[in-house]
Amino acid sequence: MFRVSKLALAVCLAVASVSPGADAFAPATSIGHVNTRAVTTGSSPAFVAQQQQQQQQQQQSTAFRMAEGSAVEGATSTLVRKPDSAVELTITAPGSATKAAYDKAIAEVSKQLSVPGFRKGAKIPPQVIENTMASRGGSKFALREQAISTLINELIEPCLKDEHNLEPIGQPELVLGAEELAKRFEPGKPIDMAMKCDVWPDVKWEEVEGQEKPYFGLTGKYKRKPFNEARFNKALGDLKDKYATLSDMEEGKALEMGDACVVNMVGYMAQEDGKTKGEPLPNAASGDSVEVILGDGRYMEGLVEGLIGAKVGETREIYVSFPEKLRDKTLAGKKAVFDVEVASGSIRTVPEVTDEFAAIVREGLTAETLVSELRKAIDEEDLKEFVEERNKALAKSLAERLDCDVPDTIVTNQAREKYSEMMTDFRDNGMADEEIKKMITPENFLKYKDIEKPDIVRDFKVSMATDEIARLEGIEVPANAVDEQMANLRKEAGDGEFDENRMRASVESTLQRRQVYDFLTEHSDLEVEYVDEEGGFDENLMNQLAEESLQREKELEEKQAAEAAAAAPEEAAEPVAVAEPVVAEPEPVVEAEPELEPEPEDVEAPVAEETPAPAPTPAPVAEEKDYGSMDLEDKAFNILVDLGMVDKSPDPDSPDYDNSKDDEFAE
């Protein structure tokens, strides 16, 4: 059993906000702007990668070319693959490129730098610029560092895309520190620049024996309710009723269940006895030429039953009860009396489900296809409640079919986004920023990132796989479906902010993924476990088990007392000595009362407690936690435990339990 305050649950999730050397809330830097930090063991990319579409737009808006493209011409590169879809790229820039980049840096700095003895904008010797910048607290190699940054901006994308057919993600990091590399930089001479960069992974499918396509035959298991046979029968009955035919009734024949009739009705409120007429009902509750079909559950209780056996021309006094959920609240649940005259009667014939009947419903249908389509429609409607569970099973299997490394940039980005969303919720719920900030450390972020990484990797693989399947299978979202969703979202947003482009992309992606999952379902081998109800906490069962447990405890106590009394020597049967075993230990048994409201997983605990002596507590065993299957609060608590912020609290039913601190967790 664990106990933890709400504040601790919130704070445990707050530790994930910082990655080493970076601000969790800092905006992403444009791709190509080199990170001048040296690559060290355990360092993270300097900024977060955006979605692929945003990244491409970013690249188009920030990429630039130097005059006449001289930097690209003559440059060469070598590439070494690294784990997690990273590469180490070494670019050799020719002397012409280094000189052009250095001259460009001088020109840009000269426009902004004010140097005594030189008018603003004048051509200033490089040595003078470097000395001036160093004297003002800058780097002596600032010009060369800027030239290197210019070269990387110019060369990294063409090298990765054109030479190696790779899409960069995030910001590259120099393997050598910028200052160290700048010391080796000489304008007009070639230079080797080694940098680490994450790249967009390739989609590689695992080979699946016996399947036409690698994403066919996905396996898994999910729960859902069984087929709703009652709903199907009602839908089929309604369909048959719609096509029922009427024929004249023989004179003098009494009405039977299933017949139809036309009646004139005059209604009155019923007195307390339910049968004596009171005030007349409103005209809306009475009427002439009312068509009535004699069938169960069609009208107010008592009307059909009162007409059974009536003949045309006969008037009957019928006692009815209005439904509790009647729209007219003045009549809902009330009793009434009606004078009902049968004006005419008809024999109503409901068709059987045959091929002829199916063809009437829709041309080309057969009895088999009609029933099949109706069952499918009923099942799909019921399935909507369990689509999320089905899709989870598909996603888990789909992720295992895709073989790709997930860039650390993606993992870091997603971990930050998850944290940022949680932080927003915590602030909205009134948590003070100072309380959150106390727990924010790079070490805690790395722990949180490690915990979240399996989920992030799986989600990324699923996203990659569904996009690829949509492309391969030509699955597209109809424009009208997107427009309909967008209209609903605009209405919900009201006068608030509404990012049209971002929301449309999100809607299209969501709808497309649903279509992909539906497609995969048709070609999957999912196992369905049909359950009548969702398992949950049954309070009545718990109370019953607790009462049975207390009764057994009481019987056991009486039995032990009787045995103790019988075992005592008759001559030594002192009143006090006899009474002692009976009343010696009654209180420990009563301590079972806290079990009246156990947690669901302890359902069988009261039944098992038949031995008065508690079993020895086993030594704690390290357990492997499946964070992916936990809800938010369980995951939050387990993170706290892993970070050493909370301890496992003792069992409150233990005789050694110290309840002096219970008030701290009362909320």
Side-chain angles (χ1 to χ4, degrees), residues 246-249 255 258-262 312 344-348:
L246 299 178
S247 58
D248 293 337
M249 182 177 286
L255 291 172
D259 291 338
C261 60
V262 176
V312 175
S344 65
S346 302
I347 296 175
R348 188 167 176 272

Side-chain angles (χ1 to χ4, degrees), residues 248-323:
D248 293 337
M249 182 177 286
E250 295 179 6
E251 186 176 350
K253 185 180 184 303
L255 291 172
E256 298 177 357
M257 189 66 77
D259 291 338
C261 60
V262 176
V263 301
N264 301 318
M265 304 172 61
V266 179
Y268 305 87
M269 294 297 296
Q271 300 286 359
E272 291 184 5
D273 61 3
K275 296 184 177 181
T276 304
K277 296 177 182 177
E279 294 293 325
L281 290 173
N283 292 335
S286 301
D288 294 336
S289 301
V290 178
E291 184 177 358
V292 178
I293 297 174
L294 303 187
D296 292 330
R298 289 178 175 270
Y299 310 100
M300 49 194 168
E301 183 183 344
L303 178 62
V304 170
E305 293 81 356
L307 285 171
I308 297 295
K311 299 178 181 179
V312 175
E314 181 181 351
T315 298
R316 286 192 172 186
E317 187 173 88
I318 299 177
Y319 313 108
V320 304
S321 298
F322 287 107

Side-chain angles (χ1 to χ4, degrees), residues 272-587:
E272 291 184 5
D273 61 3
K275 296 184 177 181
T276 304
K277 296 177 182 177
E279 294 293 325
L281 290 173
N283 292 335
S286 301
D288 294 336
S289 301
V290 178
E291 184 177 358
V292 178
I293 297 174
L294 303 187
D296 292 330
R298 289 178 175 270
Y299 310 100
M300 49 194 168
E301 183 183 344
L303 178 62
V304 170
E305 293 81 356
L307 285 171
I308 297 295
K311 299 178 181 179
V312 175
E314 181 181 351
T315 298
R316 286 192 172 186
E317 187 173 88
I318 299 177
Y319 313 108
V320 304
S321 298
F322 287 107
E324 293 286 348
K325 296 182 179 180
L326 193 67
R327 183 176 299 177
D328 186 347
K329 299 306 178 185
T330 61
L331 299 178
K334 302 292 179 62
K335 296 185 180 297
V337 181
F338 278 91
D339 290 331
V340 183
E341 177 192 4
V342 181
S344 65
S346 302
I347 296 175
R348 188 167 176 272
T349 304
V350 178
E352 295 298 322
V353 180
T354 62
D355 290 344
E356 291 76 16
F357 170 70
I360 294 173
V361 175
R362 193 177 77 226
E363 186 177 353
L365 273 182
T366 65
E368 182 179 356
T369 55
L370 184 149
V371 170
S372 176
E373 286 188 11
L374 187 58
R375 291 185 73 89
K376 182 179 180 182
I378 296 295
D379 195 51
E380 286 179 348
E381 187 65 27
D382 289 343
L383 181 61
K384 289 179 180 179
E385 183 180 348
F386 302 94
V387 164
E388 185 176 351
E389 292 301 315
R390 182 204 70 181
N391 291 350
K392 283 182 180 178
L394 287 170
K396 182 178 180 181
S397 182
L398 185 61
E400 294 171 354
R401 297 284 181 92
L402 194 67
D403 179 18
C404 76
D405 291 331
V406 179
D408 185 69
T409 300
I410 296 291
V411 176
T412 302
N413 179 36
Q414 292 301 311
R416 288 175 180 168
E417 286 185 2
K418 286 187 174 187
Y419 171 73
S420 181
E421 291 172 2
M422 289 185 287
M423 285 293 89
T424 300
D425 291 340
F426 294 145
R427 291 191 184 102
D428 291 343
N429 291 331
M431 177 175 284
D433 286 347
E434 291 304 317
E435 290 296 322
I436 298 173
K437 290 177 182 177
K438 290 177 183 177
M439 307 305 300
I440 300 175
T441 66
E443 294 76 18
N444 283 337
F445 172 75
L446 291 178
K447 290 181 180 180
Y448 178 81
K449 178 182 168 185
D450 287 342
I451 290 169
E452 290 292 328
K453 185 174 180 177
D455 288 346
I456 294 172
V457 169
R458 184 186 65 247
D459 292 344
F460 178 79
K461 286 185 175 182
V462 170
S463 179
M464 289 276 289
T466 52
D467 288 347
E468 182 68 4
I469 293 170
R471 185 186 69 81
L472 294 172
E473 301 294 339
I475 298 174
E476 297 181 356
V477 181
N480 63 330
V482 179
D483 293 339
E484 182 180 345
Q485 292 292 327
M486 290 294 292
N488 293 334
L489 291 172
R490 288 191 204 97
K491 185 175 180 180
E492 291 178 8
D495 297 332
E497 293 184 7
F498 189 80
D499 189 330
E500 182 81 18
N501 293 333
R502 186 181 67 82
M503 291 304 300
R504 177 170 288 275
S506 177
V507 168
E508 288 179 351
S509 176
T510 300
L511 294 179
Q512 185 182 67
R513 183 168 295 192
R514 289 178 185 173
Q515 290 181 247
V516 170
Y517 279 134
D518 291 340
F519 169 80
L520 292 174
T521 300
E522 296 176 4
H523 301 279
S524 70
D525 295 323
L526 289 181
E527 180 183 351
V528 182
E529 180 181 350
Y530 292 97
V531 292
D532 291 330
E533 294 181 344
E534 290 291 331
F537 178 75
D538 188 334
E539 185 174 357
N540 293 331
L541 175 62
M542 300 307 330
N543 289 333
Q544 178 184 344
L545 291 173
E547 290 174 5
E548 291 175 357
S549 176
L550 289 175
Q551 181 62 29
R552 281 193 299 273
E553 296 278 7
K554 183 177 179 181
E555 292 173 358
L556 180 62
E557 176 190 348
E558 293 174 351
K559 180 180 178 181
Q560 290 174 336
E563 290 176 351
E570 194 170 316
E571 62 274 15
E574 301 278 346
V576 177
V578 172
E580 245 182 325
V582 180
V583 297
E585 299 283 349
E587 291 303 321

Side-chain angles (χ1 to χ4, degrees), residues 10-292:
V11 170
C12 93
L13 295 174
V15 302
S17 65
V18 175
S19 61
D23 183 354
F25 299 102
T29 309
S30 301
I31 187 162
H33 288 190
V34 67
N35 176 12
T36 56
R37 292 186 297 111
V39 178
T40 57
T41 303
S43 64
S44 301
F47 75 93
V48 178
Q50 304 300 311
Q51 296 294 334
Q52 190 173 18
Q53 180 181 3
Q54 295 172 325
Q55 178 190 14
Q56 291 171 347
Q57 294 172 349
Q58 198 177 60
Q59 292 169 348
Q60 293 170 1
S61 64
T62 60
F64 60 88
R65 292 290 181 265
M66 289 166 51
E68 301 180 358
S70 58
V72 177
E73 186 176 353
T76 60
S77 67
T78 57
L79 183 138
V80 178
R81 288 278 189 173
K82 298 290 184 180
D84 296 331
S85 195
V87 297
E88 185 174 303
L89 181 70
T90 301
I91 299 176
T92 301
S96 58
T98 59
K99 185 177 186 307
Y102 191 68
D103 291 344
K104 182 179 179 69
I106 292 172
E108 290 179 351
V109 172
S110 296
K111 294 176 183 178
Q112 303 173 0
L113 189 66
S114 176
V115 180
F118 295 89
R119 66 178 183 277
K120 194 169 184 178
K123 187 175 181 180
I124 308 173
Q127 189 65 37
V128 174
I129 293 177
E130 291 179 346
N131 291 336
T132 301
M133 295 180 73
S135 66
R136 297 178 182 178
S139 170
K140 182 179 180 180
F141 303 100
L143 278 179
R144 302 178 194 186
E145 290 178 17
Q146 185 166 332
I148 291 171
S149 178
T150 299
L151 285 172
I152 292 175
N153 282 329
E154 176 67 16
L155 297 175
I156 188 169
E157 288 184 36
C159 288
L160 283 173
K161 291 184 175 181
D162 300 340
E163 293 186 35
H164 305 285
N165 196 29
L166 295 173
E167 188 74 40
I169 299 178
Q171 182 174 347
E173 294 180 344
L174 290 170
V175 174
L176 282 177
E179 186 171 342
E180 184 63 30
L181 187 61
K183 292 178 182 179
R184 305 181 184 185
F185 181 89
E186 294 185 40
K189 292 186 178 181
I191 187 171
D192 292 337
M193 299 176 293
M195 64 204 74
K196 179 186 174 185
C197 181
D198 285 345
V199 296
W200 199 262
D202 295 327
V203 175
K204 297 178 183 177
W205 296 99
E206 296 282 358
E207 293 293 332
V208 183
E209 186 177 353
Q211 295 296 338
E212 178 185 350
K213 298 179 180 179
Y215 40 85
F216 280 9
L218 297 177
T219 58
K221 184 177 181 179
Y222 72 98
K223 295 181 180 180
R224 61 158 294 180
K225 291 180 182 177
F227 181 78
N228 194 331
E229 202 70 42
R231 188 176 178 187
F232 166 75
N233 291 334
K234 184 179 186 308
L236 184 59
D238 291 344
L239 181 64
K240 291 163 63 177
D241 280 345
K242 181 180 178 181
Y243 291 91
T245 58
L246 299 178
S247 58
D248 293 337
M249 182 177 286
E250 295 179 6
E251 186 176 350
K253 185 180 184 303
L255 291 172
E256 298 177 357
M257 189 66 77
D259 291 338
C261 60
V262 176
V263 301
N264 301 318
M265 304 172 61
V266 179
Y268 305 87
M269 294 297 296
Q271 300 286 359
E272 291 184 5
D273 61 3
K275 296 184 177 181
T276 304
K277 296 177 182 177
E279 294 293 325
L281 290 173
N283 292 335
S286 301
D288 294 336
S289 301
V290 178
E291 184 177 358
V292 178

